[in-house]
Amino acid sequence: MPVLNLGFGWDRTQNVLYRIQQGELDGLIPRLVVIHIGTNNLAGTKNARANTPAEIAEGVGAIVDRVHEKCPDAAIVIMSVFPRGEKPDNTYRVKIKEINEHLVPLGKRNGVTLLDLTSKLTNPDGTISRDVMPDFLHPGEKGYAIWGEALKPHLPKH
């Protein structure tokens, strides 16, 4: 199945919105758009402050709106923000949980699905295994396999 990856390292919601505004989706007719964005908005940089969970969810919502405008026939899968940090008491985990709670209403929109892999990417005690996310942030081979399996039911049928 052909796939076009439009994600870039250190992407934030505002980067995605800018690229869509500049025509990144123009002329494309996808059957499915998977949106996985938000974790980088938790960190401040010299060019942008850290965003609040509500602001991040608002940014994801704006992306969903723009994708729907540009690709009205595409199904949209929003990925919840993946857990990060090895242990469940990592300071990012509380913020990520809040972001994901704000995303729930987006997943109830017509043609939109919210897919939360938190329980599949973490151990029963809430820790993250290096087998799944070697740096406790980015999926490794096993993490991508988990993600791929979870997406299979949402893929368009040929």
Side-chain angles (χ1 to χ4, degrees), residues 74-96:
I76 298 172
V77 172
I78 305 167
M79 301 307 304
S80 65
V81 176
F82 288 175
R84 61 191 280 184
E86 180 181 13
K87 300 185 185 316
D89 63 353
N90 182 285
T91 56
Y92 285 115
R93 296 278 190 108
V94 172
K95 293 176 183 177
I96 289 169

Short mmCIF file of all heavy atoms in Angstrom, two decimals, residues 74-96:
data_model
loop_
_atom_site.label_atom_id
_atom_site.label_comp_id
_atom_site.label_asym_id
_atom_site.label_seq_id
_atom_site.Cartn_x
_atom_site.Cartn_y
_atom_site.Cartn_z
N ALA A 74 -11.26 11.56 2.99
CA ALA A 74 -10.32 10.72 3.73
C ALA A 74 -10.84 10.42 5.13
O ALA A 74 -11.36 11.31 5.82
CB ALA A 74 -8.96 11.39 3.82
N ALA A 75 -10.68 9.18 5.54
CA ALA A 75 -10.88 8.84 6.95
C ALA A 75 -9.66 9.38 7.70
O ALA A 75 -8.56 9.45 7.14
CB ALA A 75 -10.97 7.33 7.12
N ILE A 76 -9.86 9.78 8.94
CA ILE A 76 -8.76 10.33 9.73
C ILE A 76 -8.61 9.50 11.00
O ILE A 76 -9.59 9.25 11.70
CB ILE A 76 -9.02 11.81 10.10
CG1 ILE A 76 -9.12 12.66 8.83
CG2 ILE A 76 -7.95 12.34 11.04
CD1 ILE A 76 -9.56 14.10 9.08
N VAL A 77 -7.39 9.07 11.26
CA VAL A 77 -7.06 8.42 12.53
C VAL A 77 -6.12 9.35 13.28
O VAL A 77 -5.05 9.71 12.76
CB VAL A 77 -6.39 7.04 12.33
CG1 VAL A 77 -5.88 6.49 13.66
CG2 VAL A 77 -7.35 6.06 11.69
N ILE A 78 -6.54 9.77 14.45
CA ILE A 78 -5.68 10.57 15.32
C ILE A 78 -5.04 9.60 16.30
O ILE A 78 -5.73 8.85 16.99
CB ILE A 78 -6.48 11.60 16.14
CG1 ILE A 78 -7.32 12.49 15.26
CG2 ILE A 78 -5.54 12.42 17.04
CD1 ILE A 78 -8.34 13.30 16.05
N MET A 79 -3.73 9.63 16.37
CA MET A 79 -3.03 8.83 17.36
C MET A 79 -2.98 9.64 18.66
O MET A 79 -2.65 10.83 18.64
CB MET A 79 -1.60 8.53 16.91
CG MET A 79 -1.48 7.77 15.61
SD MET A 79 -2.43 6.24 15.52
CE MET A 79 -1.80 5.35 16.94
N SER A 80 -3.32 9.01 19.76
CA SER A 80 -3.10 9.68 21.04
C SER A 80 -1.60 9.92 21.17
O SER A 80 -0.80 9.27 20.49
CB SER A 80 -3.61 8.81 22.20
OG SER A 80 -2.84 7.63 22.28
N VAL A 81 -1.23 10.88 21.99
CA VAL A 81 0.19 11.13 22.20
C VAL A 81 0.76 9.93 22.94
O VAL A 81 0.22 9.49 23.96
CB VAL A 81 0.42 12.44 22.99
CG1 VAL A 81 1.89 12.65 23.28
CG2 VAL A 81 -0.15 13.62 22.20
N PHE A 82 1.83 9.37 22.40
CA PHE A 82 2.44 8.18 22.99
C PHE A 82 3.04 8.52 24.36
O PHE A 82 3.53 9.64 24.57
CB PHE A 82 3.55 7.65 22.10
CG PHE A 82 3.09 6.98 20.81
CD1 PHE A 82 4.03 6.57 19.89
CD2 PHE A 82 1.76 6.77 20.52
CE1 PHE A 82 3.65 5.95 18.71
CE2 PHE A 82 1.36 6.15 19.35
CZ PHE A 82 2.32 5.74 18.44
N PRO A 83 3.04 7.55 25.26
CA PRO A 83 3.69 7.77 26.55
C PRO A 83 5.19 7.99 26.34
O PRO A 83 5.75 7.54 25.34
CB PRO A 83 3.42 6.47 27.31
CG PRO A 83 3.21 5.45 26.26
CD PRO A 83 2.58 6.17 25.10
N ARG A 84 5.81 8.69 27.27
CA ARG A 84 7.25 8.89 27.18
C ARG A 84 7.84 8.88 28.58
O ARG A 84 7.15 9.10 29.55
CB ARG A 84 7.60 10.16 26.42
CG ARG A 84 7.09 11.44 27.05
CD ARG A 84 7.23 12.63 26.16
NE ARG A 84 8.56 13.19 26.15
CZ ARG A 84 8.91 14.29 25.50
NH1 ARG A 84 8.01 14.96 24.80
NH2 ARG A 84 10.14 14.74 25.54
N GLY A 85 9.12 8.59 28.63
CA GLY A 85 9.78 8.43 29.91
C GLY A 85 9.61 6.99 30.38
O GLY A 85 8.55 6.40 30.25
N GLU A 86 10.66 6.42 30.91
CA GLU A 86 10.66 5.00 31.27
C GLU A 86 9.59 4.65 32.30
O GLU A 86 8.92 3.64 32.18
CB GLU A 86 12.04 4.60 31.80
CG GLU A 86 12.12 3.13 32.20
CD GLU A 86 13.48 2.75 32.75
OE1 GLU A 86 14.29 3.64 33.06
OE2 GLU A 86 13.72 1.53 32.85
N LYS A 87 9.42 5.49 33.30
CA LYS A 87 8.55 5.14 34.42
C LYS A 87 7.25 5.94 34.40
O LYS A 87 7.21 7.06 33.88
CB LYS A 87 9.29 5.38 35.73
CG LYS A 87 10.56 4.53 35.84
CD LYS A 87 11.22 4.70 37.20
CE LYS A 87 12.52 4.00 37.34
NZ LYS A 87 12.69 2.71 36.89
N PRO A 88 6.20 5.38 34.97
CA PRO A 88 4.89 6.05 34.92
C PRO A 88 4.85 7.37 35.69
O PRO A 88 3.95 8.17 35.47
CB PRO A 88 3.93 5.02 35.53
CG PRO A 88 4.76 4.05 36.25
CD PRO A 88 6.12 4.08 35.62
N ASP A 89 5.83 7.63 36.57
CA ASP A 89 5.84 8.89 37.31
C ASP A 89 6.62 9.99 36.58
O ASP A 89 6.82 11.08 37.12
CB ASP A 89 6.39 8.70 38.73
CG ASP A 89 7.85 8.23 38.75
OD1 ASP A 89 8.42 7.94 37.67
OD2 ASP A 89 8.42 8.14 39.85
N ASN A 90 7.02 9.74 35.33
CA ASN A 90 7.70 10.75 34.54
C ASN A 90 6.80 11.98 34.43
O ASN A 90 5.59 11.85 34.21
CB ASN A 90 8.02 10.17 33.15
CG ASN A 90 8.77 11.14 32.27
OD1 ASN A 90 8.18 12.08 31.75
ND2 ASN A 90 10.05 10.91 32.12
N THR A 91 7.38 13.16 34.55
CA THR A 91 6.59 14.40 34.57
C THR A 91 5.78 14.60 33.28
O THR A 91 4.73 15.24 33.32
CB THR A 91 7.48 15.63 34.81
OG1 THR A 91 8.50 15.66 33.81
CG2 THR A 91 8.13 15.57 36.18
N TYR A 92 6.25 14.08 32.17
CA TYR A 92 5.50 14.22 30.92
C TYR A 92 4.22 13.38 30.91
O TYR A 92 3.27 13.71 30.22
CB TYR A 92 6.35 13.82 29.71
CG TYR A 92 7.38 14.85 29.33
CD1 TYR A 92 8.74 14.56 29.43
CD2 TYR A 92 7.01 16.10 28.86
CE1 TYR A 92 9.69 15.50 29.07
CE2 TYR A 92 7.96 17.04 28.50
CZ TYR A 92 9.30 16.74 28.61
OH TYR A 92 10.23 17.67 28.26
N ARG A 93 4.20 12.29 31.66
CA ARG A 93 3.06 11.38 31.60
C ARG A 93 1.75 12.06 32.01
O ARG A 93 0.71 11.80 31.40
CB ARG A 93 3.29 10.15 32.48
CG ARG A 93 4.44 9.27 32.06
CD ARG A 93 4.07 8.30 30.94
NE ARG A 93 5.14 7.35 30.75
CZ ARG A 93 5.08 6.08 31.11
NH1 ARG A 93 3.99 5.58 31.63
NH2 ARG A 93 6.13 5.30 30.91
N VAL A 94 1.77 12.89 33.04
CA VAL A 94 0.55 13.58 33.48
C VAL A 94 0.05 14.51 32.38
O VAL A 94 -1.15 14.54 32.08
CB VAL A 94 0.80 14.37 34.79
CG1 VAL A 94 -0.40 15.24 35.14
CG2 VAL A 94 1.13 13.42 35.93
N LYS A 95 0.95 15.24 31.76
CA LYS A 95 0.57 16.16 30.68
C LYS A 95 0.05 15.39 29.47
O LYS A 95 -0.92 15.81 28.83
CB LYS A 95 1.75 17.05 30.30
CG LYS A 95 2.14 18.02 31.39
CD LYS A 95 3.37 18.80 31.01
CE LYS A 95 3.78 19.72 32.16
NZ LYS A 95 4.99 20.45 31.87
N ILE A 96 0.69 14.29 29.14
CA ILE A 96 0.25 13.48 28.01
C ILE A 96 -1.13 12.90 28.27
O ILE A 96 -1.99 12.90 27.38
CB ILE A 96 1.28 12.38 27.69
CG1 ILE A 96 2.55 13.02 27.09
CG2 ILE A 96 0.71 11.32 26.76
CD1 ILE A 96 3.73 12.08 26.97
#
